[in-house]
Amino acid sequence: MLTRRHFNLIGTTLAAGAWAGAARAAEPNLPVAKIISGFPPGGTLDVIARRVADKLRGAYAGAVLVDNRPGAAGQIGVMALKDSPADGSSLLITPSSMLSIYPYTYPRLRYTLDDVSAVSLAAHMDHGLAVGPGVPDSVTTLKDFLAWVATHPEGANFGSPGAGSMPHLVGILLNQLTHTDLRHIAYRGTVPGVQDLLGGQISAFWGPIGDYLQYQKVGKLRVLAVAAPARSVFLPQVPTLRELGYPLNVREWYGFFLPGKASADVQRRAAEAIGQALALPDVVEAGRAYGLEIKGSTPAVLQQMLQADAQQWRQLIRQSGFTAES
C-alpha cells in the first residue's frame, strides 16, 4: 500500500531525476568555473554563492568554486571579474550597490557598467537598522535611539558593510532627515560589523536584515526600522522608515554578472544554469533562512533593473551631496 511517505519519496526522486536530467542535457564545456564575491565568507551573499555553486557543479562546469575577494567595499570583486576571461568561467555575485551607487560616489572608480554583463537576478533583500548591547535595553524604537544618542555622543555611531554601500547611504540620509550626526564606521562586509555590534564596540549597524535574524530571535540585538517600501515578511513587527515619517524606501538585490565582453551565448548558458539552480526548493528555503527572497531572471530583466536603479541613485546622490567619504 502506498502511503504519503511513499509519495513524498517518489516526488523527491523525480525532482532529483529532473535536476540530474537537466544537468546532463547541459553538458559542461568548462572544466572549472568560479563565482567571485567581493565580501568575506559567512554573510548572506556567501550563502547564495555557495548554494548556487553546489548546483552548478556538473551542469555548468566540472567544478565550481567560490572565490571570496573582500575589500574596498566590494569593489575588488568587481575588478576581479573585469580582468577575467569572458568565456563563462568567471562569474560575479554582487549587491546592486557596487554597480548602481558606486559610479556616483567614488570619483576614481576603476570600473564602469560596461565592464560587466548581466546574467541573472539572485535575490531581493531589505536593509535594517539594528542596535546591540552597547545601547541600553530601554531603547526599543528608532525614536528612543535618536533620543539616546543626543545625550550620549560617545555612542553616536553606526556601522555598514562598506563605505559607499547602500546601507551607508541610507544611514547618511537618515542623519540628514533626523538632523543627527551619527559617525559612520565602514567594515569589510556585514559579518565583522555585526560581530562588533554584538560585542558592544559599536552602537548600531545598517545592513541586510538576514544577518540579524538569528540574533534578533534570541534577544542579542534589536532591529528598529527597515528601509523598505513595506514591512519585511521576515520581521513583520518592525516598522519601515516611511511609517516612522522618513521618506526612505529602498530595496537592494543580489545579481550574477559576467565580464563585459561575454558573448550573448555565454550569457544565455550561464543564465539558464543559474536560473535552474535558483528555482530549486532547497535553495529557495536556504535563502528564506537568511531573509532573502530568491528569484532568478533573464539577462535583459537584470540589465533593466540595473539601469533603473542607477538612474534613481544618481539623482538621489546628487540631491543629497553624498560621497563615499561622508
Side-chain angles (χ1 to χ4, degrees), residues 262-270:
S263 68
D265 183 60
V266 170
Q267 280 183 283
R268 178 189 57 77
R269 287 191 292 106

Side-chain angles (χ1 to χ4, degrees), residues 270-287:
E272 288 177 357
I274 290 172
Q276 290 174 353
L278 292 171
L280 292 171
D282 62 317
V283 176
V284 173
E285 189 57 34

Side-chain angles (χ1 to χ4, degrees), residues 126 226-231 240 242-243 248-251:
D126 295 323
V226 293
R231 292 195 180 199
T240 66
R242 174 180 280 183
E243 286 180 79
L248 286 174
N249 55 333
V250 297
R251 296 196 90 192

Side-chain angles (χ1 to χ4, degrees), residues 1-2 12 98 100 112 116 122 144 148 160 170 195 197 204-205 254 280 283 295 297 306 308:
M1 176 179 177
L2 290 176
T12 301
M98 283 79 255
S100 62
T112 71
V116 300
D144 293 341
W148 180 79
S160 83
V170 170
Q195 290 304 312
L197 180 68
F205 192 85
Y254 293 151
L280 292 171
V283 176
K295 184 179 181 181
S297 76
L306 176 57

Side-chain angles (χ1 to χ4, degrees), residues 10-21:
I10 291 170
T12 301
T13 302
L14 289 174
W19 171 250

Side-chain angles (χ1 to χ4, degrees), residues 8 32 67 202 227 233 251 292 296 308:
N8 288 340
V32 179
D67 183 7
I202 58 174
V233 297
R251 296 196 90 192
L292 299 172

